[in-house]
Amino acid sequence: ITIKTQPSNVDEFVALRDELAVTPEGGAAIFLTAFKIFAENPQLGEQCLVISIDLGSLTQGNVYKGYQMIKGDLDRIKSQLAQNPKLPNSYIKGSTPDNDYSVALPYTFEFSTNPASGKQEDGYLKLFVECSGADSPRPLHVQINNRGVWKVKNWSSVLVGIKKKKIDDDI
């Protein structure tokens, strides 16, 4: 899934979500885009995260249309980003530990499934997203809502740390 331009406001994000989240991979890419936005602009990013997450993972609040993330989930995202500010970039094709996870638009996310992933027809799927900061792809669980939009239901593995840039110690 390729993101040609990063949304700069909620309306652009919702339009991108409506375009891409008609597939499980599109829904996962929307969440990862929201994660990247959050790392750069927490206020807009929090709104985007709410838009990209399954309703069962939200609580009542005032972030977007009467909802917000569960405090523990949002705190975990903030904590992991404090330790690994480039974590969202590690999911974008072209980033590596050696280039300090540098990325440029367009952003491409690569997903896979396995025999235990489930079936898209069941409305719930386990996807694996490539991560340049890890030795294997990381799982994300997505679920379709009653409007036909795929939303992320479980993203905890996406928040795990990433490899650091190798330091040349040949002095």
Side-chain angles (χ1 to χ4, degrees), residues 1-63:
I1 300 287
T2 298
I3 307 293
K4 293 178 183 150
T5 59
Q6 182 170 296
S8 58
N9 60 54
V10 170
D11 291 337
E12 289 177 8
F13 188 81
V14 168
L16 185 64
R17 184 225 34 210
D18 291 347
E19 175 188 338
L20 294 179
V22 295
T23 66
E25 295 83 1
I30 287 298
F31 171 82
L32 293 167
T33 301
F35 186 36
K36 177 152 179 51
I37 293 169
F38 184 85
E40 298 167 3
N41 179 343
Q43 184 177 357
L44 174 60
E46 188 175 356
Q47 292 174 306
C48 296
L49 284 166
V50 168
I51 292 165
S52 68
I53 293 172
D54 180 72
L55 187 60
S57 299
L58 299 173
T59 187
Q60 289 185 332
N62 59 1
V63 173

Side-chain angles (χ1 to χ4, degrees), residues 78-128:
K78 289 177 181 177
S79 169
Q80 290 304 103
L81 283 173
Q83 295 173 43
N84 299 291
K86 303 286 181 113
L87 181 59
N89 290 7
S90 72
Y91 298 103
I92 298 170
K93 188 174 172 121
S95 70
T96 67
D98 291 337
N99 72 11
D100 200 26
Y101 299 101
S102 295
V103 296
L105 285 163
Y107 303 146
T108 299
F109 301 98
E110 292 186 351
F111 299 98
S112 59
T113 58
N114 67 27
S117 289
K119 295 182 180 160
Q120 184 172 337
E121 304 81 49
D122 294 337
Y124 184 83
L125 198 63
K126 182 178 184 180
L127 297 171
F128 296 87

